[in-house]
Amino acid sequence: FMERMKKENWKGRDNCWGYMIGEKEEMEKGNDDGEGRGRGGVAIVEVLKKKDLKNSVVVITGYFGGIKLGGGGVIR
């Protein structure tokens, strides 16, 4: 799924993703894909946990290459 999203959004600078699988969060993973270390995938997984979204995947594609928003920008 993540590779398909990357192909579909090829103009984007990065495609950060995170997922949470299982009713008891048995599998979770995130990937920053060029975003600052720990600010992309980890932030996505933490939001999934906070919102109690199970069996979910989120991909955030960044197109803007200017001023960095920081970790808070990805979360917002």
Side-chain angles (χ1 to χ4, degrees):
F1 175 78
M2 280 69 97
E3 286 301 316
R4 189 176 79 214
M5 292 293 100
K6 193 167 189 149
K7 286 178 185 176
E8 287 180 19
N9 299 294
W10 59 272
K11 289 184 180 180
R13 285 179 41 95
D14 48 54
N15 290 276
C16 301
W17 52 263
Y19 63 77
M20 182 80 62
I21 299 173
E23 290 302 312
K24 297 182 181 174
E25 302 173 5
E26 291 89 354
M27 288 178 75
E28 64 180 59
K29 186 165 181 165
N31 183 288
D32 298 327
D33 191 36
E35 181 65 31
R37 186 172 180 231
R39 294 192 312 207
V42 172
I44 293 168
V45 171
E46 289 304 313
V47 170
L48 291 173
K49 286 181 180 180
K50 183 177 179 183
K51 297 293 183 177
D52 198 31
L53 295 171
K54 309 246 188 306
N55 300 315
S56 301
V57 61
V58 172
V59 178
I60 299 174
T61 301
Y63 290 94
F64 179 67
I67 299 170
K68 295 183 179 184
L69 299 175
V74 172
I75 293 168
R76 284 189 297 280

